[in-house]
Amino acid sequence: MSGLLSAQSVTKKFAGITALDSVSLDVGDGEVVGLIGPNGAGKTTFFNCLLGLLKLDGGSVTFDGRDLAGVPTHKRARLGIGRTFQRIELFSGMSPRDHFLVAERVRNGRGALWKDLLFLGRPSSDENARADAMLELLGLQPAADRPIESLSLGVGRLVEIGRALMTEPKLVLLDEPSSGLDRHETEVLTEQLRTVQRERGFAVLLVEHDVEFVRSLVERVFVLDFGTLIASGTTAEVFADSAVRKAYLGDMV
Amino acid sequence: MEELISRIVVGMSYGSVYALLAVGLVLTYKTSGVFNLAYGAQAFVSGAIYYDLRVRHDLPIPVALLVAVFIVAPLLGLVLDRGLFRYLRNATAIAKLVTSLALLVAIPQILKLWFGQNPAAGTQGIVPRGDTSYNPFGDVFVSRNDLATILVTLLVVIALTVLFRYSALGLQMRAVVESARLTELAGINADRVSTASWVLCSFLAGLAGVLLAPLFAAVSDLNYTTLVVVAISAAAVASLSSIPIALAGGLGLGVLQQILDRYLPTGSVLASNIRPALPFIALFLVLIFSPALRGRRELADPLAGVDPPPPALASTVRSAALTNATRIFGVVVGLLAAYYIFFHASGQWLDIAIRATILSVIFLSITVITGMAGQISLCQATFAGIGGCATAQLATRFGMSVLVAMLIAAALSALIGALLAVPALRLGGIFLSLATFAFALFFDNVMARFDWVGGGVVPEDAPRPTIGFINFDQSDKAFLVLCLLILLVVAVLVLAVRSGTTGRYLDALRGSETAAASIGINAARARITSFALAAAIAGVGGAMLTIYERAANYDPNFVYFQGLIWVVLVVSLGSRSVEGAIQAAAGLFVFQAVILNQVVPWLADHVQPWYHMGQPPQTLAIILLSLGAFTYAKHPEGILEFNKRKSLEAIQRLIDRRSSKGGATSAGGGTLDGSETVGLPAAAGGPAS
Ligand SMILES: Nc1ncnc2c1ncn2[C@@H]1O[C@H](COP(=O)(O)OP(=O)(O)OP(=O)(O)O)[C@@H](O)[C@H]1O
Ligand SMILES: [Mg+2]
């Protein structure tokens, strides 16, 4: 398994607290990896560090054989890192289709001001076709042209995933995709994710509190507690580990 | 040496006042989230009242001081907070900025109704015989006014220290300044703290206004607005968050200004232009180079996961029906107006039509920068001025055809816009607006005065063009047609950009900057493009105005104040759509021509209790229109747009009711109605398990 993403002793400090303390983690090509830990463990912070939304206080991140130091967020995205957000971040006023079309335009890089000025900036037919394909893949056709404000949180999470996938990332970072969803919606989402991932073969780093969700998707798990990695290994090993059960799962299983 | 020392003392007296203002700016910003651009205007209120009582009515100093500083100023703060900013606590940063901008425009005008239009000379300080100087150490002269200012500031600083150190309210204020959201979680009543700080800050502004008065020869609102710029720099040095640094910054800038003033070489044009512009240059440099401001882009919100996302606006989507309805309506009204103007109207109406058309072009630049890119730029008038001056220069000096010159001028504006955007965009939000403000003031005071820009004393000429057999110099009607054509082209281009890649990227950035970056959108590039585009459009508009007036009249047409009024106007009437810009421009002129020329003179003749009413029409127009901006927070789409949407919804409901009565069930009707759409529930930060 070739290493796609490799984080070496990533450290991040906020005034007073060390949110991440020398965290090392790797994800292989096409691999689905979990990152779990109690609230405030530093999972979201880790994602922000990977994407360059936060500056590292120590350590390094390599993606696809390239050191990411100094690479701005939007370039990291173009290198092939997609993500979704724990606190949902959609483009207000746009429909799901618009979300996908914008992402598609970024991917193919065909936009230019002079084209806009000559009325050549509208979505082309192949762009529309690709957006349609994604809508169908995620079962979003009924909501395709409604403004995003009028859709439920579950649909919103799917749109976020679709938007990330439109850029054809090699790695998708999912931050608590099931948070705020009910049992049924979560099951649907799990199913969708599994299908899409099999079909496209991208790697996933999944942050999730829902143990069932994690178990059903993930091959390998890293456990974060107070900014330090306390365990890692296959799903079965980690969930059997007593330290993990105590730190994190104790009262849940 | 003595010279230097007396300069330092004078500098300290200016600096004290700046420091007071800077502290007030930081305090209101941190406790209520409002960057109070109108702070200088508040100082002007107290300065003017003090002058009126003390000089015009010859009241004793303590009485005048009591009324101006201890009664009126805090009251003004109370009214502003309770009546206005309290309702804006959860509004967007842009809404708060626009509101304070409107106050900056309106307050001096309101006051002038009573105080008189012209600056009043012969100011007096807060001590008797303020001009008397002492010279304790040889040749160092210190006037009583300077001493009083420094002493009062010292007293105030001591009082503030005591307040912040030892009183409960002061501690709460300090806590809010440190971290507003943590304090709120700790159960402190932020509303109360905000009101208290508004009252306190308004008092500081009033005090500063009275202290500043004797430093100028006359009481005039311009002095106050431009000098508060230094206070803004001091607040920016403190990155709007540290009170002690703001204090030190204000003092430092005051002294620095005096020293530079003394030691800058005299004689050269450059030096004499730069001298009065030092405050603006300082602000610009502080903003661009302050490292503290640059890090602001980093995600630095410890509670990001706790807050629910801001509610989405039902109004961000414009229905196709509304667009079509306005289009049809607009075309009909436009044709009727054109018919009237071409065949029946007097020259005055022709003039109004031409000016409104030109202003529409300029306003489209605000549609691009604010409506599409979501940024508030306060220098669109400057870009228009650049376009106008460049056209005139090219036409006069190189004998170029004005139409070619106009295109080159637009390109030049775009270039300058892009160059300004590169450093300014690193700042973002409020600091971006301040940087554009500083740029506008700098251009007005330094650049526009050069011969090769504004034309020196006499503005440069710009002849009207002749195309084929049409001589636009002879016929204003032909010129109106030309203007309409240009407006059409610009409007179509704006629409094209909006529906193209640039427009979609800007939409995405407005929706969520983080998410846009996470799919690979280069925010800086998209915004620089929008800045350059807006500058070019403003440049075209400025060129047209110049050609129409046959000369580049930088002073009344393109000074920063125009830019402020324009932004307030467009944003409050509707900056999201192309018609919004056209309506705002047409509205402004029709309003001035009809209501003000007819209604106001009657009012002035019959109900004129005011004793210095100078030129009411202009003043009233500015007041009324800027007050319109207060609706912005409630209707960010613009008040006209809002009303259009509401009426269309009402019609839609009527149709629905009809059709359901007829037996047909209208499924999914009323999607236009904000209340029927299902809001996206807030994403909770906690685990779902
Ligand atoms: N910008 C910031 N400034 C200061 N502290 C921060 C910031 N962002 C996060 N933190 C702190 O860092 C720690 C880790 O937060 P993070 O959001 O990464 O946790 P998490 O594992 O994602 O938790 P959750 O499961 O609740 O999402 C927390 O203590 C949080 O308060
Ligand atoms: Mg998190």
Side-chain angles (χ1 to χ4, degrees):
Chain A
M1 211 181 294
S2 62
L4 178 63
L5 173 85
S6 143
Q8 241 86 56
S9 359
V10 168
T11 302
K12 177 74 200 174
K13 296 191 178 106
F14 293 115
I17 50 168
T18 306
L20 291 172
D21 188 4
S22 197
V23 175
S24 299
L25 175 156
D26 65 289
V27 180
D29 255 334
E31 195 188 10
V32 182
V33 175
L35 177 63
I36 61 173
N39 284 128
K43 302 167 305 254
T44 302
T45 305
F46 186 66
F47 274 13
N48 286 338
C49 287
L50 291 184
L51 238 96
L53 291 166
L54 292 173
K55 278 202 195 93
L56 299 189
D57 290 320
S60 66
V61 180
T62 333
F63 180 76
D64 215 6
R66 197 177 151 170
D67 185 4
L68 292 186
V71 180
T73 304
H74 69 271
K75 289 221 175 107
R76 295 186 195 209
R78 290 188 192 180
L79 285 175
I81 309 180
R83 90 168 272 188
T84 68
F85 297 85
Q86 176 175 6
R87 203 185 125 200
I88 212 158
E89 293 271 0
L90 289 162
F91 304 142
S92 52
M94 288 185 163
S95 66
R97 187 194 302 281
D98 290 337
H99 279 77
F100 296 170
L101 284 171
V102 167
E104 166 63 15
R105 182 56 62 81
V106 180
R107 186 195 67 83
N108 64 32
R110 276 195 228 136
L113 183 63
W114 67 267
K115 287 188 188 162
D116 292 346
L117 290 173
L118 297 177
F119 276 96
L120 299 173
R122 303 245 162 113
S124 65
S125 55
D126 62 312
E127 285 174 330
N128 272 319
R130 285 178 53 90
D132 279 335
M134 182 59 71
L135 287 167
E136 191 178 321
L137 187 64
L138 297 175
L140 285 172
Q141 295 104 323
D145 293 306
R146 315 238 339 240
I148 208 74
E149 285 82 7
S150 64
L151 303 173
S152 73
L153 181 63
V155 176
R157 295 229 179 256
L158 277 177
V159 174
E160 273 208 329
I161 292 172
R163 179 180 65 190
L165 294 183
M166 281 307 284
T167 62
E168 299 198 334
K170 302 187 181 105
L171 168 69
V172 185
L173 311 176
L174 300 176
D175 200 346
E176 297 193 25
S178 80
S179 129
L181 304 189
D182 64 23
R183 200 69 254 167
H184 170 70
E185 285 175 314
T186 308
E187 268 160 24
V188 174
L189 185 72
T190 320
E191 211 33 60
Q192 302 270 34
L193 258 181
R194 202 200 321 271
T195 330
V196 180
Q197 199 273 333
R198 292 233 171 96
E199 196 164 303
R200 305 235 164 162
F202 48 83
V204 175
L205 183 56
L206 172 71
V207 163
E208 192 46 75
H209 281 284
D210 187 326
V211 177
E212 280 315 304
F213 197 144
V214 176
R215 276 203 174 133
S216 67
L217 277 173
V218 162
E219 300 142 29
R220 238 164 17 108
V221 187
F222 291 84
V223 186
L224 209 52
D225 191 19
F226 284 115
T228 35
L229 273 185
I230 56 167
S232 65
T234 65
T235 318
E237 280 166 20
V238 168
F239 283 112
D241 186 322
S242 63
V244 174
R245 296 178 76 94
K246 206 152 110 203
Y248 177 47
L249 301 168
D251 47 350
M252 272 194 259
V253 184
Chain B
M1 194 58 207
E2 278 89 3
E3 168 94 52
L4 181 66
I5 295 178
S6 36
R7 282 290 177 164
I8 291 180
V9 175
V10 176
M12 276 175 65
S13 116
Y14 273 99
S16 312
V17 181
Y18 298 153
L20 288 181
L21 289 172
V23 168
L25 280 173
V26 170
L27 208 58
T28 26
Y29 181 67
K30 292 297 275 192
T31 49
S32 64
V34 177
F35 187 85
N36 191 2
L37 278 176
Y39 211 53
Q42 276 175 262
F44 171 59
V45 170
S46 291
I49 290 178
Y50 183 76
Y51 177 89
D52 195 67
L53 297 176
R54 178 80 191 104
V55 180
R56 284 194 188 140
H57 290 102
D58 214 14
L59 289 176
I61 291 174
V63 177
L65 201 61
L66 182 76
V67 175
V69 178
F70 291 88
I71 297 179
V72 173
L75 259 177
L76 182 60
L78 188 71
V79 168
L80 288 182
D81 181 64
R82 289 274 130 167
L84 200 57
F85 287 107
R86 188 150 76 129
Y87 302 101
L88 293 180
R89 272 185 72 78
N90 297 318
T92 59
I94 287 194
K96 289 174 181 164
L97 188 68
V98 167
T99 312
S100 78
L101 207 57
L103 285 176
L104 167 66
V105 172
I107 289 181
Q109 304 295 334
I110 295 177
L111 195 79
K112 280 176 174 181
L113 284 180
W114 164 81
F115 183 71
Q117 296 294 315
N118 301 319
T123 51
Q124 285 195 17
I126 54 164
V127 281
R129 291 175 292 111
D131 289 339
T132 322
S133 293
Y134 302 116
N135 47 347
F137 325 102
D139 280 345
V140 180
F141 285 92
V142 186
S143 78
R144 285 167 58 94
N145 274 334
D146 289 340
L147 274 183
T149 305
I150 297 172
L151 284 180
V152 167
T153 308
L154 202 65
L155 278 180
V156 170
V157 169
I158 293 172
L160 282 179
T161 316
V162 171
L163 176 77
F164 285 138
R165 279 272 157 82
Y166 304 109
S167 81
L169 186 66
L171 285 174
Q172 288 181 356
M173 278 188 192
R174 232 171 74 196
V176 174
V177 172
E178 297 288 320
S179 168
R181 308 179 48 246
L182 287 175
T183 354
E184 207 149 317
L185 290 185
I188 290 179
N189 183 346
D191 252 2
R192 224 185 98 222
V193 173
S194 148
T195 308
S197 82
W198 268 94
V199 170
L200 175 65
C201 292
S202 192
F203 164 75
L204 290 180
L207 188 62
V210 170
L211 291 176
L212 266 177
L215 296 175
F216 307 130
V219 178
S220 117
D221 56 326
L222 279 184
N223 283 341
Y224 282 95
T225 342
T226 50
L227 274 166
V228 86
V229 167
V230 187
I232 297 180
S233 329
V237 170
S239 33
L240 290 188
S241 51
S242 158
I243 291 175
I245 298 181
L247 251 174
L251 267 179
L253 284 172
V255 172
L256 188 71
Q257 194 186 7
Q258 284 301 313
I259 292 180
L260 281 179
D261 192 40
R262 167 69 185 77
Y263 292 102
L264 269 183
T266 46
S268 82
V269 189
L270 193 65
S272 62
N273 281 357
I274 282 188
R275 203 171 294 264
L278 281 175
F280 323 129
I281 299 175
L283 176 58
F284 198 67
L285 294 182
V286 165
L287 286 171
I288 302 296
F289 291 110
S290 167
L293 301 182
R294 217 172 294 160
R296 287 290 165 115
R297 282 273 148 156
E298 221 187 89
L299 274 182
D301 198 342
L303 298 176
V306 175
D307 261 5
L313 296 166
S315 52
T316 43
V317 208
R318 199 162 195 265
S319 72
L322 180 52
T323 309
N324 289 333
T326 17
R327 270 188 200 152
I328 294 168
F329 187 73
V331 168
V332 171
V333 170
L335 286 177
L336 283 178
Y339 172 77
Y340 177 74
I341 285 164
F342 273 91
F343 299 108
H344 297 285
S346 65
Q348 190 215 355
W349 279 100
L350 191 59
D351 179 63
I352 287 176
I354 293 176
R355 284 178 190 275
T357 311
I358 294 174
L359 205 58
S360 303
V361 173
I362 299 181
F363 282 6
L364 281 174
S365 81
I366 300 175
T367 309
V368 170
I369 201 85
T370 304
M372 281 164 57
Q375 311 284 328
I376 296 268
S377 154
L378 301 181
C379 62
Q380 290 314 107
T382 312
F383 289 130
I386 291 174
C389 290
T391 307
Q393 295 286 356
L394 289 170
T396 317
R397 301 203 176 196
F398 302 100
M400 212 176 261
S401 147
V402 277
L403 292 179
V404 179
M406 180 162 90
L407 291 180
I408 298 179
L412 183 71
S413 279
L415 183 70
I416 296 176
L419 287 180
L420 175 67
V422 172
L425 280 173
R426 267 209 310 249
L427 301 166
I430 179 94
F431 294 107
L432 172 75
S433 304
L434 290 180
T436 56
F437 189 49
F439 175 71
L441 288 166
F442 168 74
F443 203 91
D444 286 4
N445 285 280
V446 181
M447 303 309 290
R449 300 206 176 146
F450 286 112
D451 283 353
W452 49 273
V453 182
V457 187
V458 184
E460 219 63 64
D461 291 341
R464 298 237 191 121
T466 309
I467 302 176
F469 59 91
I470 313 173
N471 186 344
F472 293 101
D473 202 29
Q474 313 266 296
S475 161
D476 277 352
K477 283 181 184 166
F479 193 72
L480 174 60
V481 175
L482 180 67
C483 289
L484 285 170
L485 278 178
I486 296 178
L487 173 62
L488 187 71
V489 171
V490 172
V492 166
L493 288 183
V494 169
L495 283 175
V497 170
R498 198 174 62 175
S499 63
T501 312
T502 311
R504 300 332 301 275
Y505 284 7
L506 291 173
D507 283 347
L509 282 165
R510 270 209 332 271
S512 161
E513 188 157 348
T514 331
S518 85
I519 57 169
I521 292 178
N522 185 343
R525 197 169 139 193
R527 293 209 176 117
I528 289 171
T529 310
S530 69
F531 243 81
L533 189 67
I537 294 173
V540 168
M544 288 159 72
L545 190 54
T546 298
I547 298 171
Y548 177 57
E549 295 188 345
R550 298 188 177 85
N553 298 312
Y554 191 92
D555 192 351
N557 288 339
F558 305 124
V559 287
Y560 81 96
F561 196 69
Q562 292 287 355
L564 300 189
I565 299 177
W566 292 346
V567 170
V568 168
L569 199 65
V570 176
V571 163
S572 52
L573 288 186
S575 63
R576 291 275 169 82
S577 66
V578 168
E579 310 101 75
I582 298 173
Q583 286 156 357
L588 174 64
F589 281 104
V590 170
F591 186 76
Q592 281 187 355
V594 179
I595 303 188
L596 295 175
N597 281 350
Q598 277 149 38
V599 178
V600 175
W602 184 88
L603 275 180
D605 285 345
H606 294 84
V607 257
Q608 194 184 28
W610 329 98
Y611 63 90
H612 287 294
M613 205 178 212
Q615 254 189 325
Q618 259 282 303
T619 312
L620 273 186
I622 296 174
I623 294 173
L624 289 176
L625 292 170
S626 51
L627 293 183
F630 298 153
T631 58
Y632 176 75
K634 223 167 163 197
H635 312 301
E637 64 206 303
I639 185 79
L640 272 181
E641 198 76 347
F642 170 78
N643 282 316
K644 280 194 286 187
R645 188 166 55 87
K646 279 288 159 206
S647 3
L648 211 76
E649 281 167 17
I651 297 173
Q652 177 81 43
R653 264 196 302 275
L654 224 84
I655 296 172
D656 283 354
R657 204 169 303 155
R658 277 275 166 77
S659 57
S660 58
K661 249 185 214 157
T665 44
S666 65
T671 41
L672 275 172
D673 192 342
S675 63
E676 282 185 39
T677 50
V678 191
L680 206 59
S689 51

